[in-house]
Amino acid sequence: MKKLVLGSFQTNCYIIENDKKEVFIVDPGDNGKKINKYLEDNEYKLKAIMITHGHIDHIHAVEYLYNIYKCPVYAHQDTIEIAQDSFLNLSATMSTPYVLDIPMIPASDEFEVIGYKIRWYFLPGHCKGSSMIYLVNKNIMFSGDVLFKGSIGRYDFPTSSHFDTKKTLEVIKEMDLHCDIYPGHGEATTLDEEKQNNYYLR
């Protein structure tokens, strides 16, 4: 797995490969040319894109890559709505507001991509549609902006909810997993470490 840190918001973009040089990408948030160069330099074939949530710093390179590879793009149904609205995706005040105007597939609870079993956890609070994506084969969780090392995602944006955040934290506390956590920003951690040390999960 490769992590690229992209854009002014330093968003973590994850590229996961199999032994056939096929890959899927989680949260290509910016710098589409940089991502594509990495794919081309390594002769990877992009087979899918997954979006943890619809904020601009997690979706800005999606359309660029889709136009090259025409691969499926998976997101929660609420994320699709947010990605298509510049106010909700937080790009309205940028010099060039952005909407994601491509076909997207509402993610089911479980599906398979390039031989990996994906389990999709819908965990709103940071925004509508916010999700964590569990890669069963590797026992790793891509937590987007739901959960960080020592912290959690903000809940003061359009469609954020303090109430939903509290419910989401209770769900995370009850997860019977001992997995590595790869967040949308910052360093990796483990679910066990966060349950023990993260103030918001205590």
Side-chain angles (χ1 to χ4, degrees):
M1 181 177 71
K2 173 70 173 179
K3 180 178 85 171
L4 301 176
V5 182
L6 304 173
S8 58
F9 293 98
Q10 296 289 278
T11 303
N12 294 333
C13 166
Y14 299 100
I15 302 173
I16 301 89
E17 77 279 356
N18 65 13
D19 57 6
K20 299 178 182 177
K21 306 287 282 187
E22 298 170 325
V23 302
F24 70 88
I25 296 179
V26 177
D27 285 353
D30 207 346
N31 304 121
K33 291 181 180 179
K34 178 178 179 179
I35 299 171
N36 190 50
K37 184 177 187 305
Y38 177 80
L39 298 179
E40 290 182 340
D41 287 350
N42 289 278
E43 299 181 341
Y44 285 141
K45 295 165 281 190
L46 180 58
K47 294 297 184 179
I49 295 170
M50 300 181 199
I51 305 170
T52 61
H53 64 291
H55 286 161
I56 184 61
D57 57 322
H58 291 255
I59 65 170
H60 205 193
V62 172
E63 188 165 355
Y64 179 88
L65 294 169
Y66 174 81
N67 286 336
I68 296 171
Y69 294 94
K70 296 298 190 287
C71 61
V73 177
Y74 296 95
H76 188 272
Q77 179 63 54
D78 290 343
T79 291
I80 295 173
E81 174 189 340
I82 287 176
Q84 294 172 338
D85 184 310
S86 64
F87 173 72
L88 298 182
N89 72 30
L90 310 181
S91 72
T93 58
M94 296 172 59
S95 57
T96 306
Y98 179 82
V99 294
L100 191 49
D101 187 21
I102 60 169
M104 288 178 272
I105 300 171
S108 54
D109 291 341
E110 291 191 350
F111 57 101
E112 187 173 298
V113 169
I114 65 168
Y116 291 114
K117 183 178 179 181
I118 307 297
R119 189 177 299 156
W120 200 282
Y121 289 93
F122 171 51
L123 295 167
H126 177 64
C127 63
K128 282 177 60 177
S130 196
S131 302
M132 301 204 309
I133 302 168
Y134 181 53
L135 186 53
V136 177
N137 311 55
K138 296 290 188 180
N139 194 34
I140 61 178
M141 183 84 78
F142 301 105
S143 63
D145 286 4
V146 176
L147 181 65
F148 302 123
K149 182 177 177 66
S151 189
I152 60 171
R154 291 168 53 179
Y155 44 84
D156 58 345
F157 294 120
T159 80
S160 294
S161 167
H162 185 212
F163 177 73
D164 285 343
T165 294
K166 290 196 293 185
K167 290 199 301 182
T168 280
L169 293 174
E170 291 303 315
V171 171
I172 294 172
K173 289 178 188 178
E174 296 301 317
M175 284 183 173
D176 187 20
L177 295 171
H178 304 278
C179 59
D180 294 330
I181 299 288
Y182 291 91
H185 307 270
E187 300 175 13
T189 182
T190 69
L191 187 55
D192 287 337
E193 180 180 340
E194 296 314 303
K195 285 181 177 180
Q196 293 169 10
N197 299 315
N198 191 319
Y199 166 81
Y200 298 96
L201 291 176
R202 293 164 62 186

